[in-house]
């Protein structure tokens, strides 16, 4: 029986033979990736391993080969299609618009709904996760601290009311305390709202502590994957990615 006939057991996101190309450069070389509904999955790897390119390939933001199914039917390879279907991408470097205010950035995140009441409900839910946002609504995003900008980027993605969040190195450039807070918040969002999360990280220690399952990328290929707890015990993973 084909997998699509068993929607309850099929992963929410399923990539098969996924490639990413930049011209002649093959950054992702035909990987298979499953993300179960309700899971937090980490995508680990060193600089240049292909984490960003994998996230881009999943939504079609780069030249892509292979197939990606979401909630049982194929994504058509356009980032707008992924967004409409409920996949929100928080890109590397956050992607907040620095000259716009916090409130305007959030409004951009909610652009797919014209329903004002629904927009207001989403805003209330998001502001519940980030209480500081209420006081900073008219502050230019570019004047926020790095940690606040990362939170704003997550808040903006949540304004889409996504089924799934793709996050690209949320820890980038941030201190250990704020990184811990951000990952704790991601777990809360996952548990409370049932948002499935795929997070690319170089910080394997923090990512493995939060994720159920992890994939390790090396030069565009999956070197290893499995439950986070098992990977954290693996000698090679510990030596190369955890540093002990
Ligand atoms: N726009 C681009 N044009 C050409 N090559 C690119 C481009 N973006 C990425 N690459 C190449 O693709 C490969 C994978 O890069 P990618 O950014 O996906 O890695 P990464 O795992 O996200 O690294 P980092 O941890 O540094 O963000 C690298 O060899 C990189 O040089
Ligand atoms: Mg990257």
């Amino acid at each position: 029986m084909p997998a699509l006939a068993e929607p309850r057991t099929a992963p929410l996101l399923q990539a098969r033979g996924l490639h990413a190309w930049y011209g002649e450069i093959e950054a992702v070389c035909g990987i298979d990736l499953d993300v179960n509904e309700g899971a937090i999955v980490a995508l680990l790897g060193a600089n240049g391993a292909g984490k960003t390119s994998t996230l881009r390939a999943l939504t079609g933001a780069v030249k892509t080969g292979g197939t990606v199914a979401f909630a049982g039917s194929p994504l058509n390879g356009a980032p707008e299609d992924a967004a409409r279907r409920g996949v929100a991408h928080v890109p590397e470097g956050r992607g907040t618009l620095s000259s716009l205010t916090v409130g305007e950035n959030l409004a951009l995140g909610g652009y797919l709904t014209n329903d004002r009441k629904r927009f207001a409900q989403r805003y209330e839910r998001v502001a519940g996760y980030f209480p500081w946002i209420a006081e900073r609504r008219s502050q230019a995003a570019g004047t926020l601290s790095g940690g606040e900008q990362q939170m704003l980027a997550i808040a903006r993605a949540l304004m889409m009311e996504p089924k799934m969040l793709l996050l690209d190195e949320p820890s980038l450039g941030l201190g250990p305390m704020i990184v811990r807070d951000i990952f704790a918040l991601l777990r809360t969002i996952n548990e409370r709202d049932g948002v499935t999360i795929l997070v690319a990280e170089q910080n394997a220690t923090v990512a493995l502590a939060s994720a159920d399952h992890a994939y390790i990328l090396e030069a565009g290929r999956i070197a290893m994957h499995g439950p986070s707890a098992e990977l954290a015990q693996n000698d090679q993973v510990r030596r190369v990615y955890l540093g002990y």
Side-chain angles (χ1 to χ4, degrees):
M1 193 180 279
L4 290 182
E6 301 163 6
R8 277 183 304 164
T9 54
L12 180 63
L13 182 94
Q14 184 172 57
R16 289 292 174 268
L18 188 71
H19 290 260
W21 281 284
Y22 302 99
E24 298 289 295
I25 298 170
E26 189 181 25
V28 178
C29 314
I31 65 171
D32 295 344
L33 192 82
D34 287 345
V35 181
N36 287 335
E37 184 154 20
I40 300 182
V41 174
L43 190 58
L44 308 176
N47 284 121
K51 303 180 295 297
T52 297
S53 303
T54 298
L55 295 186
R56 287 184 181 150
L58 288 171
T59 61
V62 63
K63 191 174 157 220
T64 303
T67 60
V68 183
F70 183 71
S73 56
L75 290 176
N76 74 9
E80 302 76 27
D81 180 51
R84 269 178 218 291
R85 298 268 302 276
V87 183
H89 189 172
V90 182
E92 194 169 49
R94 292 142 201 167
T96 48
L97 298 172
S98 53
S99 62
L100 298 187
T101 66
V102 168
E104 287 164 342
N105 270 281
L106 292 177
L108 282 177
Y111 76 102
L112 286 171
T113 181
N114 296 321
D115 181 337
R116 287 182 67 170
K117 195 167 151 210
R118 202 145 164 224
F119 185 90
Q121 284 167 348
R122 289 182 187 183
Y123 175 80
E124 288 308 320
R125 166 133 33 102
V126 168
Y129 284 125
F130 308 94
W132 58 270
I133 278 182
E135 301 153 19
R136 306 293 193 90
R137 240 177 136 162
S138 54
Q139 183 174 340
T143 64
L144 296 172
S145 73
E148 288 165 347
Q149 287 186 34
Q150 183 62 60
M151 289 190 230
L152 176 60
I154 295 169
R156 187 176 69 168
L158 290 176
M159 287 297 290
M160 282 176 54
E161 218 165 40
K163 292 192 186 74
M164 180 164 187
L165 268 181
L166 308 181
L167 296 130
D168 198 346
E169 297 218 38
S171 77
L172 196 71
L174 304 180
M177 302 267 280
I178 188 85
V179 169
R180 211 178 50 201
D181 289 350
I182 285 173
F183 273 83
L185 194 75
L186 291 177
R187 278 200 305 275
T188 306
I189 291 165
N190 168 260
E191 284 163 17
R192 207 182 285 167
D193 291 338
V195 179
T196 303
I197 293 177
L198 177 62
V199 55
E201 258 305 336
Q202 265 197 63
N203 187 334
T205 308
V206 73
L208 283 177
S210 296
D212 309 299
H213 198 94
Y215 287 82
I216 299 181
L217 273 176
E218 282 176 12
R221 293 190 163 78
I222 299 204
M224 243 184 279
H225 73 98
S228 300
E230 280 177 26
L231 288 178
Q233 296 299 319
N234 180 290
D235 281 344
Q236 198 186 339
V237 174
R238 282 167 56 160
R239 217 171 32 246
V240 178
Y241 295 99
L242 301 172
Y244 60 85

